[in-house]
Amino acid sequence: MRVGVLSLQGAFREHLGVLDSLGVGSRKVTRPEHLESIDSIILPGGESSAMVRIAATTGLFPALEEKISAGLPVFGTCAGLILLADRLTDDSLGGFDRLGGLDVTVARNAYGRQRESFCAPVQVTGLDSTFEATFIRAPQILNFGTDVQVLSEYAEVPVLVRQANIWGGSFHPELGTDTRIHEEFLHSLTAIV
């Protein structure tokens, strides 16, 4: 199994590090041809506005959108969630293409600015104890469709969701030493890949 990590900008190195620590093969994905040899992909946190602008010069997003629609497992964290959301509350990405596919409405930076970042323990379906979630300028899931399964909430708001092959999270599971959410995503691949 090889997991791709979108490496245009943001915390891709941290995700690659987690995958390496778990003994999982990975590769950076920056161009459409990098999609050919992966079984799933992680979209990291970072600056979603920078990611969409960089991606627009590569042709990557149309190819990736097609792969996701065909069933490629994908996990978007923080900015990655924004890329996957079917709806945003504003047009602050300047009309640049995103990926979509996840039936949620997301508000960018809804938990505040950088200085208002925080960590909080959250219960996650499948984990036997709480996960310390790191929220950095995190997006908030305001509503979701009936096919979306909520895997975790913070303050009664969904922060980790799944819809078929698509996972989305408001927080950064790649920060810290707890790899259990990555493990859960990887475990789900055995039923899909």
Side-chain angles (χ1 to χ4, degrees):
M1 177 190 306
R2 177 175 285 185
V3 179
V5 178
L6 184 69
S7 302
L8 301 174
Q9 189 273 340
F12 59 89
R13 291 178 192 85
E14 288 79 0
H15 280 290
L16 290 165
V18 172
L19 294 170
D20 185 56
S21 75
L22 295 173
V24 176
S26 62
R27 77 170 306 167
K28 294 179 182 177
V29 173
T30 60
R31 306 191 61 79
E33 56 267 32
H34 298 155
L35 299 172
E36 295 306 319
S37 59
I38 60 171
D39 300 301
S40 64
I41 187 166
I42 292 174
L43 313 179
E47 294 284 346
S48 55
S49 55
M51 290 183 194
V52 296
R53 284 173 172 76
I54 296 168
T57 67
T58 66
L60 175 60
F61 276 11
L64 180 53
E65 184 177 5
E66 185 176 317
K67 290 272 189 184
I68 293 170
S69 295
L72 179 72
V74 55
F75 183 13
T77 64
C78 198
L81 168 65
I82 293 168
L83 298 180
L84 291 170
D86 278 347
R87 298 168 299 278
L88 300 181
T89 56
D90 60 35
D91 62 353
S92 56
L93 296 183
F96 284 90
D97 288 340
R98 295 181 299 109
L99 296 165
L102 183 59
D103 186 9
V104 296
T105 301
V106 164
R108 296 176 69 219
N109 303 324
Y111 288 97
R113 296 180 162 275
Q114 189 86 17
R115 64 175 178 268
E116 293 153 338
S117 301
F118 64 97
C119 295
V122 295
Q123 291 286 343
V124 177
T125 299
L127 303 187
D128 57 5
S129 61
T130 59
F131 184 92
E132 191 72 4
T134 301
F135 295 83
I136 302 172
R137 297 178 60 202
Q140 194 171 71
I141 298 171
L142 300 182
N143 59 56
F144 54 91
T146 56
D147 291 335
V148 175
Q149 177 187 9
V150 176
L151 302 176
S152 182
E153 293 181 336
Y154 171 73
E156 300 182 3
V157 174
V159 292
L160 182 65
V161 298
R162 177 182 184 183
Q163 179 183 354
N165 59 311
I166 304 174
W167 289 49
S170 296
F171 56 89
H172 290 261
E174 75 280 11
L175 301 179
T177 59
D178 191 340
T179 60
R180 291 179 296 163
I181 290 181
H182 284 80
E183 292 173 43
E184 286 295 305
F185 174 64
L186 295 169
H187 179 71
S188 76
L189 302 183
T190 60
I192 297 173
V193 176

